Amino acid sequence: MIINPEEVPSEIRTNYPDEFKPMVAGRIRQRLGNFALLQNFGVNRVKLEPGSYSSLRHWHSHQDEFIYVLEGELTLVTDRGTEILTPGMAAGFAAGEANGHHLVNRSSVVAIYLEVGDRTPNDKVTYPDENLMTTPSPDGKSRKLIRNDGTPRAISF
């Protein structure tokens, strides 16, 4: 299937609790993989406005992630520190590696990148800076946000 990005809807929504929404308010995603009806992995084209984060810093228990920078400059923040990524650079994050990561646009222009992730079931996502993690629901169709010690947090998504 040929995909013209101009035909793919853009979305700015997030499932994060209200207190974290301002961090990702300038993230605009186009879900290319969903548009192509892909089942095993997702591909998103993401525009990140200056000052915005790609996500809260996180890592996945079961899912691999990969990003590829198309335009602009992004700062990759991991447990190891920060690195600048420019067009043509990429980064990968193996499932189960407890290395929290996210991208921050610290420049003055919009950056665009591709993010690719698999859709392995039963994935847990840990947000080390926020004392949060997600766990899958028994039916696998939603995720529950809890604290890292397992105590509940009043939100599911």
Side-chain angles (χ1 to χ4, degrees):
M1 167 184 265
I2 303 296
I3 299 171
N4 178 348
E6 293 179 13
E7 297 175 4
V8 179
S10 294
E11 64 179 45
I12 57 171
R13 71 174 188 81
T14 180
N15 292 325
Y16 288 144
D18 289 344
E19 66 202 87
F20 302 116
K21 288 180 180 180
M23 298 167 73
V24 295
R27 178 186 68 193
I28 304 161
R29 273 193 250 181
Q30 293 174 287
R31 296 187 180 274
L32 305 177
N34 288 359
F35 193 82
L37 305 176
L38 300 182
Q39 300 294 308
N40 297 312
F41 64 94
V43 180
N44 297 324
R45 182 177 184 264
V46 183
K47 291 182 184 180
L48 204 58
E49 299 284 342
S52 287
Y53 291 34
S54 61
S55 62
L56 298 175
R57 210 166 64 84
H58 69 284
W59 61 274
H60 292 265
S61 65
H62 290 70
Q63 294 181 3
D64 291 327
E65 288 183 281
F66 181 85
I67 60 108
Y68 182 84
V69 180
L70 297 170
E71 296 178 26
E73 178 181 286
L74 293 164
T75 301
L76 172 63
V77 181
T78 68
D79 289 347
R80 297 179 187 105
T82 62
E83 296 180 62
I84 303 297
L85 302 179
T86 56
M89 295 179 78
F93 308 98
E97 184 179 331
N99 181 12
H101 57 272
H102 70 170
L103 299 169
V104 181
N105 186 347
R106 295 182 177 162
S107 78
S108 60
V109 298
V110 172
I112 300 175
Y113 64 96
L114 293 177
E115 61 185 14
V116 180
D118 70 67
R119 295 180 175 169
T120 304
N122 301 314
D123 187 45
K124 294 180 182 177
V125 183
T126 300
Y127 302 93
D129 299 335
E130 312 303 339
N131 185 26
L132 296 173
M133 68 185 315
T134 64
T135 58
S137 64
D139 66 4
K141 295 182 180 179
S142 63
R143 295 176 289 160
K144 184 177 179 182
L145 189 64
I146 61 174
R147 291 181 179 84
N148 290 343
D149 66 5
T151 57
R153 169 138 178 157
I155 189 168
S156 293
F157 54 95

